[in-house]
Amino acid sequence: MTTIPRIISVDDHVVEPPDLWTSRLPGRFLDRGPRIVRQKGRLSMPGGWREDPDGDWADVWLYDDLVTPLMKLSAAVGFDEVGFGAVTFDDIRPGCWKQADRLADMDANHMEASLCFPNTLPRFCGQAFMERDDKELALLCVRAYNDWMIDEWCAGPARGRLIPLSMVPLWDAELAAEEVRRCAAKGSHAVTFSENPHPLGLPSIHSGVWDPFFAACEETGTVVCLHIGSSSSMPGTSPDAPFIISSTLTFQNAMGSMLDFVFSGTLARFPNLTLAYSEGQVGWMPYVMERADKLWHERSDNSFGTDLPEPPTSYIRGRVYGCIFDDETGLANRDVIGMDQICFETDYPHADSTYPDSADVAARICDKAGLDDTEIYKLLRGNAIRAFGLERYGIAA
């Protein structure tokens, strides 16, 4: 049996506690900022909500015009059946949102450390704040979230176990850069950002608009974390195609994003910028890397729209990290991808989570792929320590 070291997961989530914003926003915003109310109602669509006295109880986030019920899919661990449905904080596992309970669940899941993305209200990179009209309130909400993440969720007994991951005001690259520097000064060196800002109605990676943000990340040693779905869009083939097709194709978001960062010249302009993709797996990387390099060599006179001075793969090595939870194809091609660039995730508390069996799952996939002890260590913790500079939090290599 493979010996499994204590796992460092680079993709988990935290359900935002009910008082996160009400305890931090100025009083004049308390009746408009994010707050929880308990209501009876029904889902009007996946994620939509309407009050109904004959409906089911749910805890519902209200924030200006936004009405978002707490969804079972956002806190799936512990439920016998998982599907679309609204729930209350009393229904979900306490480890979804309480620090002490999360640490206990991590112990039970053979985990040392975890990087937690936002979940229900902000969505994966804070899109909810970008979408609201009042940007003064939105900016205060972003900063309140980051202060809670750094000063509370990742503090005290969680230091070195829960790793800070901040967000930025997506609507302004200069403000985003400022928030990166502010959070880095407080101890956060990872930031969640959209895998593709264009579908959000924002400038693309190719525009150059985001350079102040990337410069701040490079300057502060902040890793740019790109979660599947953080563009608020998912791949599909046709409107009537079943959901399983979109779910199978989710890797396309990470694939397109990596190519954007390479061929926009962003990784060339910022040679110390590090990217980390979450929930995109890595099995697609070998062919895409091969194809990109071949096209780069075939180009002439910028005919393919690129003037990169070096082959595309030269910008990927040691700087673009993927993560897996069950990617057998990726591990079979680890020498092409680079074993130093593949991390592991448990995705707690989502439906795909390997909790509480992550050690057994890891042992099985490592055995099947024939990983040796050095490769196992890299996958399950070593690569994450190097990518995110986790030594600064007291995590031993």
Side-chain angles (χ1 to χ4, degrees), residues 37-230:
V37 297
R38 186 161 292 186
Q39 299 176 340
K40 277 192 170 184
R42 300 183 188 278
L43 293 175
S44 54
M45 67 180 91
W49 179 259
R50 60 180 175 83
E51 287 190 74
D52 183 340
D54 296 322
D56 299 319
W57 284 107
D59 282 336
V60 182
W61 284 106
L62 303 181
Y63 167 34
D64 269 355
D65 61 325
L66 183 64
V67 180
T68 301
L70 181 61
M71 298 292 291
K72 184 186 291 187
L73 282 176
S74 298
V77 296
F79 288 103
D80 293 332
E81 295 183 2
V82 178
F84 287 109
V87 292
T88 71
F89 277 90
D90 296 333
D91 299 326
I92 66 176
R93 191 172 182 85
C96 295
W97 61 286
K98 293 182 177 180
Q99 184 198 73
D101 295 278
R102 174 62 67 93
L103 295 177
D105 283 352
M106 289 167 61
D107 288 338
N109 201 32
H110 196 63
M111 292 174 61
E112 178 174 0
S114 169
L115 187 82
C116 295
F117 283 83
N119 206 356
T120 305
L121 176 83
R123 310 210 298 280
F124 292 158
C125 69
Q127 299 102 298
F129 303 121
M130 179 210 70
E131 294 164 349
R132 308 278 77 74
D133 291 334
D134 188 336
K135 292 300 188 286
E136 179 189 6
L137 174 55
L139 181 59
L140 288 171
C141 287
V142 168
R143 289 175 175 168
Y145 178 89
N146 290 338
D147 288 343
W148 168 81
M149 167 64 61
I150 299 166
D151 299 335
E152 188 169 331
W153 180 247
C154 298
R159 179 168 174 78
R161 303 208 60 195
L162 295 173
I163 308 304
L165 176 64
S166 49
M167 66 174 68
V168 294
L170 293 168
W171 58 92
D172 188 311
E174 295 287 353
L175 280 178
E178 180 181 314
E179 187 63 9
V180 165
R181 293 186 176 97
R182 188 185 78 89
C183 290
K186 289 168 62 72
S188 176
H189 295 275
V191 61
T192 178
F193 186 67
S194 177
E195 63 200 352
N196 183 358
H198 176 69
L200 301 177
L202 297 171
S204 76
I205 299 298
H206 300 272
S207 69
V209 167
W210 299 104
D211 281 7
F213 166 65
F214 297 136
C217 292
E218 185 179 56
E219 169 194 320
T220 58
T222 296
V223 179
V224 179
C225 299
L226 306 142
H227 195 290
I228 289 298
S230 55

Side-chain angles (χ1 to χ4, degrees), residues 295-308:
L295 289 175
W296 182 85
H297 283 290
E298 290 173 6
R299 81 204 191 291
S300 62
D301 300 325
N302 198 27
S303 57
F304 283 3
T306 180
D307 57 0
L308 285 178

Side-chain angles (χ1 to χ4, degrees), residues 277-298:
Y277 285 94
S278 296
E279 218 164 303
Q281 310 291 351
V282 297
W284 51 270
M285 290 182 72
Y287 173 73
V288 171
M289 293 164 67
E290 173 189 343
R291 178 67 173 161
D293 272 4
K294 284 181 176 178
L295 289 175
W296 182 85
H297 283 290
E298 290 173 6

